[in-house]
Amino acid sequence: MISALNRLVDLVEAQLADPFGELDVDGLATELGTTGYHLRRMFSSLAGLPLTQYARRRRMTVAAADVVRGDDDLLSIAVRYGYGSTEAFGRAFRAVHGAGPGEVRRDGGPLRSQPQLRFRLTVEGNIPMDTRLTERPAFRLIGHAARVPLIHQGVNPHIQQHIAALPQEEHLRLKALSATEPAGLLQVSDDLDGPDAAEGSELTYLHGVAVPSDAPVPDDLDAIEVAAGRWAIFRTAGPYPEALQTAWAATATDWFPSNPWRLRPGPSIVAVLDRAADFSTATCELWLPVEPA
């Protein structure tokens, strides 16, 4: 995985010299015996930012040097880096540097450089992960869904508001509808804007339960169809949601690089097995859809 991610970084660098070329992540993944989906997810988890955002930052870092040198007009520089107009180039430039190319040419800054990433092996994994694998037939998730922004750390207030808006009797009703594993009330994240989506990107959050694939869906509930396949299940216990988010990150840094599995498309599911009355601590299961690497 370390070698694959560094090959991916090299691919980004090669595209800087050929901005109209395709960043062929899927082709590289096939060559390496994995999938583009898994490669993007692992890059995002380990680098702390999506691949698309990293590539844009690198392009604008290199472009800034040309802007500051002042040897070429801004339109020529825009075209050199794959933009058809100075306006489009200016928007991308400002999104990275916080100032337009004209201002940077005049003032010499501000500039926010993105160094080239290199992934290196460090010794991790000193804490064993409580994991099991299970094969599940297709099933259906039903409940109350909402589009919310992605937040990597801490409590997501948008999800909190979504759940708090449901009356207590609705939670009891949903729990009674649970009819297959994963059991009980579930926190489901699905339909993220791509496998390398940035923080703030929208996802579908569903507060609900799992039922067989042929179970009827009440008219007032939303449904997510889940394909048959294998799941890796990680048990966590401790401060909530910190312990859960730490375990999610550790799947990328420790578990996937050490095991012959990769992520496949599908929702991530959290089942809360036990919790404190104020939800300050909880024991959870994180379900991730996987396939052989």
Side-chain angles (χ1 to χ4, degrees):
M1 180 53 63
I2 297 298
S3 175
L5 291 173
N6 284 326
R7 288 277 301 276
L8 189 55
V9 168
D10 292 339
L11 199 64
V12 171
E13 293 301 306
Q15 195 194 32
L16 296 179
D18 181 19
F20 294 99
E22 181 185 0
L23 187 62
D24 189 9
V25 180
D26 292 329
L28 176 63
T30 300
E31 179 187 338
L32 297 172
T34 185
T35 67
Y37 182 91
H38 181 72
L39 203 53
R40 289 183 179 92
R41 286 291 293 269
M42 291 301 99
F43 182 97
S44 178
S45 296
L46 295 178
L49 77 166
L51 175 63
T52 51
Q53 186 177 348
Y54 170 71
R56 183 168 59 252
R57 287 183 179 180
R58 281 295 297 147
R59 187 179 301 115
M60 290 300 103
T61 295
V62 177
D66 287 352
V67 169
V68 172
R69 273 195 296 265
D71 295 337
D72 299 304
D73 61 80
L74 294 180
L75 179 58
S76 298
I77 296 173
V79 172
R80 182 179 306 149
Y81 290 97
Y83 294 88
S85 69
T86 54
E87 290 78 10
F89 175 68
R91 286 193 295 271
F93 193 94
R94 183 179 292 276
V96 171
H97 296 292
E103 299 167 76
V104 167
R105 171 163 286 184
R106 182 188 68 231
D107 303 328
L111 294 175
R112 298 173 183 162
S113 297
Q114 171 62 61
Q116 182 179 348
L117 290 178
R118 297 311 295 176
F119 294 90
R120 293 183 174 86
L121 180 65
T122 58
V123 178
E124 302 280 356
N126 57 317
I127 301 175
M129 299 187 72
D130 186 357
T131 313
R132 62 188 172 95
L133 293 160
T134 185
E135 187 83 24
R136 298 287 298 128
F139 59 94
R140 177 175 287 161
L141 296 161
I142 61 172
H144 296 278
R147 293 291 285 175
V148 301
L150 173 66
I151 295 177
H152 289 303
Q153 293 185 333
V155 175
N156 189 320
H158 307 277
I159 291 177
Q160 272 192 325
Q161 292 168 13
H162 175 62
I163 296 174
L166 300 174
Q168 182 60 32
E169 56 268 22
E170 185 61 14
H171 299 282
L172 298 175
R173 173 203 174 201
L174 286 172
K175 196 168 184 178
L177 291 173
S178 174
T180 190
E181 280 200 312
L185 287 173
L186 307 173
Q187 303 168 4
V188 181
S189 298
D190 190 33
D191 198 23
L192 192 60
D193 293 336
D196 60 346
E199 186 165 45
S201 301
E202 285 199 334
L203 60 89
T204 296
Y205 175 83
L206 181 135
H207 181 74
V209 296
V211 297
S213 59
D214 58 353
V217 181
D219 293 339
D220 61 335
L221 297 182
D222 302 297
I224 296 174
E225 304 298 330
V226 182
R230 197 176 296 272
W231 295 79
I233 305 165
F234 305 88
R235 182 175 287 231
T236 72
Y240 182 88
E242 291 84 358
L244 179 62
Q245 291 168 338
T246 298
W248 197 178
T251 65
T253 58
D254 295 350
W255 195 81
F256 279 108
S258 306
N259 290 275
W261 302 96
R262 65 189 177 203
L263 285 168
R264 60 181 172 87
S268 60
I269 304 170
V270 174
V272 179
L273 307 181
D274 189 28
R275 67 180 180 89
D278 61 356
F279 226 143
S280 59
T281 62
T283 299
C284 304
E285 284 187 342
L286 170 63
W287 288 56
L288 298 179
V290 298
E291 62 187 5

